[in-house]
Amino acid sequence: MDSGKIMNCERNKLQKIMKFRLPHQFMAFGIAIVLVSIAMMFVRAFIMEEPTQWLKLLLQKTMLIGMLIMSLSKEKIEDEMTVSLRAQSYAIAFVIGVIYALVMPYVEFGVSNAVHSGGEAFKDLGDFQVLLFMLMIQLMMYHTLKRLG
């Protein structure tokens, strides 16, 4: 096979992945998943007598899936501007998410040591916290950029 054909095939596959979007109707589905997950988190925290760890993890993952569905859903009118704004919001969310993941453990360590004189141990951020933060930033930045643009 010609190397040009291989590169063209790989480029086409990458373009398909980059242009992947869910239909607009999935936005409401994603919002419903997030709201149900949040409601169930409150039920788990305040109503259940013995909250289970597996339910907490399941609800966290479900909430992330709902936010990802929201993030990947098309607008009613999808044009070059919305594609550009979506790309900008992903880039901003990535940069802010990396800064957050690097700085926040030190901030938490400093604050916990200032509040508790016993000296708290250094804790790293969990995957849920970083992914939730990045998806929230992406969704907020996209809708803010869309409103301003």
Side-chain angles (χ1 to χ4, degrees), residues 22 63-73 90 135 139:
L22 295 170
M63 189 165 114
L64 289 176
I65 290 169
M67 291 179 77
L68 183 62
I69 290 171
M70 290 169 57
S71 178
L72 292 175
S73 296
Y90 280 121
L135 281 168
L139 290 167

Side-chain angles (χ1 to χ4, degrees), residues 22-37 62-63 65-70 73:
L22 295 170
H24 177 68
Q25 295 81 5
F26 277 82
M27 178 63 83
F29 183 63
I31 291 171
I33 290 173
V34 170
L35 292 177
V36 167
S37 297
T62 305
M63 189 165 114
I65 290 169
M67 291 179 77
L68 183 62
I69 290 171
M70 290 169 57
S73 296

Side-chain angles (χ1 to χ4, degrees), residues 3 23 46 55 82 109 121:
S3 65
F46 297 115
L55 183 58
T82 58
F109 178 72

Side-chain angles (χ1 to χ4, degrees), residues 117-137:
S117 60
E120 292 285 320
F122 182 79
K123 293 184 291 186
D124 208 9
L125 295 177
D127 59 343
F128 172 74
Q129 190 172 355
V130 174
L131 291 172
L132 177 70
F133 181 78
M134 288 176 75
L135 281 168
M136 285 179 13
I137 293 295

Side-chain angles (χ1 to χ4, degrees), residues 30-107:
I31 291 171
I33 290 173
V34 170
L35 292 177
V36 167
S37 297
I38 291 171
M40 290 301 296
M41 285 178 180
F42 278 110
V43 167
R44 179 195 165 273
F46 297 115
I47 296 177
M48 291 180 71
E49 291 179 18
E50 287 188 40
T52 56
Q53 189 65 22
W54 67 268
L55 183 58
K56 176 184 175 185
L57 294 174
L58 178 70
L59 292 172
Q60 288 177 344
K61 303 300 182 201
T62 305
M63 189 165 114
L64 289 176
I65 290 169
M67 291 179 77
L68 183 62
I69 290 171
M70 290 169 57
S71 178
L72 292 175
S73 296
K74 286 183 183 178
E75 292 294 319
K76 283 184 184 177
I77 302 170
E78 190 86 11
D79 58 5
E80 294 85 18
M81 187 177 105
T82 58
V83 171
S84 174
L85 294 177
R86 190 181 310 273
Q88 289 175 8
S89 69
Y90 280 121
I92 292 168
F94 177 76
V95 170
I96 292 175
V98 169
I99 292 169
Y100 176 78
L102 292 173
V103 171
M104 200 59 196
Y106 297 106
V107 171

